[in-house]
Amino acid sequence: MSTIEQNLIGNTAGLSRVDKVLRYFFFALLIGAVVYSIGGTFVGIDNRLNDYGLVIALACLASQMPGYSRTIPGAHPVLRACEWAVMGCSLVCTTAVIVGDVTDRGIAPEPYNTPSNIAKGAVFIALCFFVVLFIAKDRARRRGPIHPA
C-alpha cells in the first residue's frame, strides 16, 4: 500500500471506532470551513481569509491525527495525548475564528485582534505537538519496520 493510500480518509484499517469518528468529524469540519470561506468571499463584506486559511490547514492536519501513533510499536501514552492536543488546538482555532467573525459583524477586523491571536497561537501549539509525533514516528521507522495498521 502506498503512502498516499495509507493517508486517505477512507482507509480506516487498524483504527478504533473513536478514531474513525474523529477522522470523519474533522474532515467534515475541513469541508465546512472551505465551503464557508469560499462562500463568504463572494457574499460577505470582509471575510477573514487568513484566519479561515488557518482553520482549513489545522482541520486538514487534525483529520489525520486520530490513530497517528497507533502504528508506532511500543508507543508511549504521551504520544496519544499529543494527538488529542492537536485535535483540541484545531477546535480552539476554529472557535476563535468563528467568535472573531461574529464579534466584528463583518466589518474589517483589526489585523491583530484577540481572536486572531488565539487562532495563531493554537496553530503554533498544534504544530509543536505534531512535530513531536512526526519525530517519534520517524525514529520508530529508523529503528525497524513499522507494520501497516
Side-chain angles (χ1 to χ4, degrees):
M1 183 181 299
S2 71
T3 305
I4 294 173
E5 289 174 339
Q6 291 174 359
N7 292 326
L8 291 177
I9 193 74
N11 181 24
T12 56
L15 297 177
S16 68
R17 283 187 183 150
V18 173
D19 290 340
K20 292 176 190 177
V21 168
L22 286 171
R23 277 197 178 196
Y24 285 115
F25 171 76
F26 284 106
F27 187 69
L29 181 68
L30 169 68
I31 297 299
V34 167
V35 168
Y36 183 78
S37 177
I38 291 171
T41 302
F42 295 113
V43 177
I45 297 169
D46 186 24
N47 199 353
R48 301 169 162 270
L49 288 179
N50 294 337
D51 292 344
Y52 280 106
L54 292 175
V55 171
I56 291 167
L58 205 51
C60 186
L61 182 64
S63 70
Q64 295 300 311
M65 281 302 100
Y68 189 82
S69 65
R70 288 194 188 274
T71 59
I72 301 173
H76 199 274
V78 171
L79 295 178
R80 189 75 173 148
C82 287
E83 290 178 13
W84 283 95
V86 171
M87 292 182 283
C89 287
S90 176
L91 293 176
V92 167
C93 179
T94 304
T95 305
V97 169
I98 290 172
V99 165
D101 206 7
V102 169
T103 55
D104 71 7
R105 297 180 199 93
I107 303 170
E110 298 173 13
Y112 298 106
N113 55 17
T114 302
S116 180
N117 290 340
I118 290 172
K120 290 173 187 172
V123 170
F124 177 72
I125 292 169
L127 288 177
C128 290
F129 281 115
F130 175 70
V131 166
V132 169
L133 286 166
F134 188 76
I135 290 172
K137 197 166 195 176
D138 187 58
R139 285 186 178 172
R141 183 186 59 82
R142 290 179 187 212
R143 272 185 269 148
I146 295 178
H147 301 288

